[in-house]
């Protein structure tokens, strides 16, 4: 299921930014938690974060609801 969470992050980020080729998602998996690191072109970081962090928080909420079904914790870091 982690790969689908990774694909979800990539799909959302690629839809938001102007240069989808710069989108990279790195997955770091532990026993009970998963950390996803999202990196985009430096000038497009603001698009991914959104106003007052709304876009980033919406992505985190989606991931947390998916991970809760699996009994895991998820963290999304935007680099």
């Amino acid at each position: 299921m982690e790969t689908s969470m990774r694909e979800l992050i990539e799909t959302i980020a690629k839809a938001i930014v102007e240069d989808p080729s710069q989108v990279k998602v790195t997955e770091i998996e532990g026993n009970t938690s998963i950390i996803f690191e999202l990196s985009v072109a430096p000038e497009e970081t603001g698009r991914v974060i959104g106003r007052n962090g709304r876009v980033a928080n919406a992505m985190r909420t989606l991931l947390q609801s998916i991970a809760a079904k699996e009994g895991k914790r998820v963290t999304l870091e935007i680099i």
Side-chain angles (χ1 to χ4, degrees):
M1 192 70 172
E2 293 82 27
T3 55
S4 65
M5 283 193 275
R6 182 172 182 238
E7 290 168 4
L8 177 67
I9 297 168
E10 278 185 17
T11 304
I12 293 170
K14 285 181 179 180
I16 295 170
V17 298
E18 290 182 11
D19 186 5
S21 66
Q22 295 285 332
V23 174
K24 289 183 191 166
V25 179
T26 307
E27 180 180 339
I28 304 166
E29 189 167 354
N31 292 336
T32 59
S33 65
I34 306 166
I35 299 172
F36 289 102
E37 294 178 341
L38 172 62
S39 62
V40 295
E43 63 273 7
E44 296 191 301
T45 305
R47 287 178 178 268
V48 175
I49 294 172
R51 240 176 236 205
N52 295 325
R54 287 186 180 152
V55 175
N57 286 335
M59 290 172 65
R60 288 182 178 118
T61 302
L62 270 173
L63 291 173
Q64 288 170 354
S65 65
I66 293 170
K69 291 179 182 177
E70 298 179 14
K72 293 196 174 198
R73 295 188 58 166
V74 170
T75 304
L76 175 64
E77 296 178 357
I78 299 170
I79 300 173

